[in-house]
Amino acid sequence: MIVTDTHTHLYSDAFDDDRAAMIQRAIDNNVSRFFIPAIDSGYTDSMLQLEQDFPNNVFLMMGLHPTSVKENYKKELAHVEEMLAKRHFYAVGEIGIDLYWDTSTLAIQKDAFKHQIKLAKHYKLPIVIHCRDAFDEIFEVLETEKSDDLFGIFHCFTGILEQAQKAISYNMKLGIGGVATFKNGKIDQFLNQIDLKHIVLETDSPYLAPKPYRGKRNESAYIIKVLEKLSELYELPQEKIAEVTTKNSKDIFNI
């Protein structure tokens, strides 16, 4: 069984004391593929080091996270462009719109999101979308960029069924993580109405730990709890969930 964590911040300082041991715990639990989203230029060196330390397991993305879209965002976008031109990444992400922390930057968040979608199309790469309190705004941008070469993952999907179906209509897989195990997470109420071919697994570690670890530091090994929950919801063996979701990740990231 091969399990893929399509979204994990393994470079986070939350792992500074036990990073190698934490990654080994995941590998021991059959979680052997880790896709690493970017945040901003301040994390690039840590990401590259992580790839160097775990070359067979770590796959990097490049992008500017919406909460890092500030006054200097054009300089940050120039860094994203420079890195994409320099070497291969597996996605442009995580990118999108976040209105939970700051609504005043909506205009420049939209601009950064659109710009990075165009970069992804240029390099024929998937996008990995961060959406918080911003479904309408995200869909508005995706509608303007809709095309055969727009595809990717709607990371940490927490919407309703109609929003899930709309995301899928833009060639997006749904990134499902710890929220699926929460009592008030709600996505567990309709997830099995969505064909498994549209689903990938993720942790977003060190954030959003699944039950029974909720409120603690998340890590990639805990994705097994998400796998167990989907096995229950879809009434399929865990091995089948792992097989299909890993295939979906390969279709998206091309590795």
Side-chain angles (χ1 to χ4, degrees):
M1 185 169 78
I2 297 172
V3 184
T4 301
D5 187 348
T6 61
H7 201 106
T8 172
H9 300 268
L10 293 179
Y11 50 79
S12 168
D13 56 12
F15 300 125
D16 283 354
D17 292 339
D18 65 342
R19 184 170 288 104
M22 180 271 298
I23 291 173
Q24 190 57 52
R25 272 196 297 277
I27 292 170
D28 291 345
N29 278 281
N30 301 308
V31 188
S32 56
R33 289 158 46 85
F34 309 94
F35 288 85
I36 313 297
I39 294 175
D40 56 40
S41 61
Y43 292 89
T44 301
D45 289 346
S46 301
M47 291 170 63
L48 295 172
Q49 184 62 52
L50 193 58
E51 179 189 56
Q52 193 175 317
D53 293 343
F54 300 93
N56 299 319
N57 307 98
V58 162
F59 308 96
L60 304 183
M61 310 178 204
M62 178 48 55
L64 179 62
H65 192 290
T67 59
S68 291
V69 176
K70 310 287 187 188
E71 298 78 15
N72 70 335
Y73 82 101
K74 293 204 169 169
K75 184 180 176 186
E76 284 288 336
L77 289 177
H79 173 74
V80 171
E81 289 183 23
E82 179 189 347
M83 293 304 296
L84 287 169
K86 188 183 288 187
R87 49 153 289 161
H88 178 66
F89 290 90
Y90 292 92
V92 175
E94 63 187 282
I95 64 175
I97 300 174
D98 187 313
L99 298 179
Y100 177 81
W101 296 106
D102 190 352
T103 58
S104 71
T105 56
L106 175 58
I108 58 174
Q109 284 192 54
K110 275 187 179 177
D111 187 46
F113 187 28
K114 285 185 181 182
H115 185 79
Q116 292 180 95
I117 290 173
K118 291 182 193 306
L119 286 174
K121 289 179 175 180
H122 176 75
Y123 287 102
K124 297 179 169 51
L125 292 174
I127 60 171
V128 173
I129 298 173
H130 172 106
C131 172
R132 193 164 184 193
D133 291 357
F135 276 105
D136 291 345
E137 292 79 4
I138 291 278
F139 288 142
E140 181 189 319
V141 173
L142 292 181
E143 185 63 31
T144 66
E145 294 294 334
K146 187 167 59 173
S147 63
D148 290 343
D149 54 357
L150 174 70
F151 69 107
I153 296 172
F154 215 106
H155 147 63
C156 190
F157 184 81
T158 55
I160 60 176
L161 177 59
E162 290 74 18
Q163 290 165 330
Q165 291 165 334
K166 193 161 188 178
I168 290 164
S169 77
Y170 293 114
N171 295 326
M172 298 295 145
K173 307 285 189 202
L174 306 181
I176 303 300
V179 174
T181 70
F182 295 173
K183 195 172 184 179
N184 60 351
K186 297 181 182 173
I187 60 172
D188 60 318
Q189 295 169 19
F190 65 80
L191 206 52
N192 63 1
Q193 296 176 51
I194 294 166
D195 194 307
L196 200 56
K197 70 182 181 183
H198 300 303
I199 304 292
V200 292
L201 304 184
E202 62 167 66
T203 57
D204 199 20
S205 60
Y207 316 107
L208 292 172
K211 283 176 62 183
Y213 308 107
R214 190 174 183 183
K216 298 179 181 175
R217 183 192 77 170
N218 199 5
E219 59 179 75
S220 287
Y222 297 169
I223 203 169
I224 298 302
K225 294 298 177 185
V226 182
L227 183 72
E228 289 171 1
K229 183 65 178 181
L230 265 63
S231 173
E232 175 191 315
L233 292 174
Y234 282 92
E235 298 181 344
L236 289 169
Q238 290 179 37
E239 290 76 11
K240 186 64 178 175
I241 302 288
E243 177 193 332
V244 174
T245 55
T246 285
K247 179 191 180 299
N248 296 343
S249 76
K250 290 177 178 178
D251 290 345
I252 290 290
F253 294 118
N254 199 29
I255 187 168

